[in-house]
Amino acid sequence: MISGKFAITIHILTLLHKFPNDYLSSEFIAGSMNLNPVLVRKEIANLKAHHVVESKEGKNGGTKLAVNASELTLKEIFEMTFETIGLGFAKNQPNPDCPVGKKINQNLEALYSEMNEKVGAQLQNISLEDFSNQF
Amino acid sequence: MISGKFAITIHILTLLHKFPNDYLSSEFIAGSMNLNPVLVRKEIANLKAHHVVESKEGKNGGTKLAVNASELTLKEIFEMTFETIGLGFAKNQPNPDCPVGKKINQNLEALYSEMNEKVGAQLQNISLEDFSNQF
DNA sequence: TCATACTGTAATAAAATATGTTACAAATTT
DNA sequence: AAATTTGTAACATATTTTATTACAGTATGA
């Protein structure tokens, strides 16, 4: 999963923030997103690995936030979803005998890296609470 | 084509800038990128539609830059490739009966739109000439 | 203690998207 | 006229995303 990972993750976290006292089931969350519950559980597994949520198995189980929403930034969420922004690379290895081909990916990476810094600075200023309170 | 479009386009433009007096064939360009010539021609068609390059059919034909590389910004190239940055959306329509589902895409769009402004400002400061001169 | 309702995870299937290939008409040069 | 190149359509393949099925393990509570 790449394309929707951040969007799905933040959707999950927003729901958890809206119901701070409940363990929400993957089925319930999936209902809000119109997504398969297994995919929700996979994203939750990632969030658990980052100690952002905790979940309880068994009947009446589910997931709830394990951190303070005012202290979790969108930048952290962004990084948890393994995302970097960028404008992509050509899929094939360019020709190393061409001066342009030889360095194109390196130069694109430098460019994208600057983009990430800019965007990272922006996302760092927004907490999950901020985002969630827009709803 | 989405993922590599910007990268491919800027690669093409860099090559054209490096050989300002020649009509480069799609075959030659494809050789530097290790890409199918038809795909190169497709991106060139897009560049032509934006009047950034001109090409000549027939024997010894090919493509050359039609604008001054110092006046073409990466932002314009970015826009020509129809790209916007962002962190994606969930693929399915979210549940409109859920307050979060109802507004999630709208709120993500607002967020991404700000990101685009930041990145756009950065890309506007870099010309094709600047980029090409790194090689 | 047993039925129920969850999570966790693997394996597989289906759908969507991206990339590659073939083919050939039209244009231009030599 | 022969050769070379663009332009483009049609089709094929590969890759990536998303969905589904299945089921073991865990907790709840009647």
Side-chain angles (χ1 to χ4, degrees), chain B residues 25-26 41 48 55-59 61-62 91-92:
Chain B
S25 74
S26 62
R41 298 207 284 270
K48 278 180 67 179
S55 39
K56 209 169 62 173
E57 294 185 31
K59 187 167 179 178
K91 191 181 159 195
N92 296 336

Side-chain angles (χ1 to χ4, degrees), chain A residues 25-26 41 48 55-59 92:
Chain A
S25 74
S26 63
R41 298 206 285 269
K48 276 180 68 178
S55 39
K56 208 170 64 173
E57 293 187 30
K59 188 167 177 178
N92 296 336

